[in-house]
Amino acid sequence: TDLSIPITKNPAAPFAAATVLSEGDSVKPGQTLTESVTFTPTATGAFTGGWEITGSDDPTNRKTVTFTGTGTAAPTMLSRTGWVATASNTAGGDVPANALDGSLASRWSTGAVEAAGMWFQVDMGTANTVSQIVMDSNGSGDYARSYSVYVTNDPANLGTAVAQGTATATPITVGFTGKSGRYIRVVL
């Protein structure tokens, strides 16, 4: 016998149903049903929400799937004044400083095919708490295919990467738990 859904109450903001389980829908025996929920907070703090569902097998027994999330403040852009960029490889006029000038018309390039161990580093002059970096090569095909991000006070001892990932396009936005450090290094 199919299980019908006589009542469903979708989650309220800041949670939203990315898929829709509608009243009157049926679930066949052995069928798997996956519902997705997004979390888009507009304020900082802890949030709790729920999705309420009643099935035809027991219409008086409403089930609630509970979600929690924590909203954080939007990242603040740090001033790049006084920052110094260096890199393991550089090509002609595409110097590391170009990556910090705020212009999408200029860029830094290794001038070589990406190879494991190549790196780009920013010395911010003083320690800052960093929780996100954006790598934007303005739509070119020259971008970090795989990367590890380090935030440290000692570039000779990077410690553990705050983020690792792969990319298939640019820009690449990398978010991570905030960490204080003077240097940001991206290792390919």
Side-chain angles (χ1 to χ4, degrees), residues 99-117:
L100 301 177
D101 67 8
S103 172
L104 289 175
S106 65
R107 68 190 193 116
W108 162 71
S109 176
T110 62
V113 174
E114 180 182 321

Side-chain angles (χ1 to χ4, degrees), residues 88-89 91 109-119 141-145 188:
S88 59
N89 299 64
S109 176
T110 62
V113 174
E114 180 182 321
M118 289 180 170
W119 54 267
D142 190 10
Y143 59 89
R145 300 301 196 272
L188 307 178

Side-chain angles (χ1 to χ4, degrees), residues 87-89 108 110 113-121 146-148 150 158 185-188:
S88 59
N89 299 64
W108 162 71
T110 62
V113 174
E114 180 182 321
M118 289 180 170
W119 54 267
F120 174 84
Q121 178 175 286
S146 63
Y147 55 85
S148 296
Y150 298 86
L158 298 177
R185 185 178 289 188
V186 178
V187 179
L188 307 178

Side-chain angles (χ1 to χ4, degrees), residues 61-183:
N61 187 10
R62 183 172 289 188
K63 301 291 184 191
T64 301
V65 178
T66 303
F67 339 105
T68 60
T70 302
T72 58
T76 302
M77 189 94 147
L78 297 172
S79 170
R80 299 177 189 171
T81 303
W83 289 11
V84 177
T86 55
S88 59
N89 299 64
T90 298
D94 292 334
V95 296
N98 289 353
L100 301 177
D101 67 8
S103 172
L104 289 175
S106 65
R107 68 190 193 116
W108 162 71
S109 176
T110 62
V113 174
E114 180 182 321
M118 289 180 170
W119 54 267
F120 174 84
Q121 178 175 286
V122 176
D123 177 352
M124 297 181 286
T126 60
N128 287 289
T129 298
V130 181
S131 61
Q132 177 178 296
I133 65 168
V134 177
M135 298 178 276
D136 191 346
S137 60
N138 198 23
S140 82
D142 190 10
Y143 59 89
R145 300 301 196 272
S146 63
Y147 55 85
S148 296
V149 179
Y150 298 86
V151 177
T152 184
N153 285 309
D154 180 4
N157 180 15
L158 298 177
T160 303
V162 294
Q164 296 179 321
T166 58
T168 58
T170 181
I172 305 163
T173 300
V174 184
F176 45 88
T177 301
K179 183 174 180 188
S180 180
R182 175 176 170 172
Y183 302 88

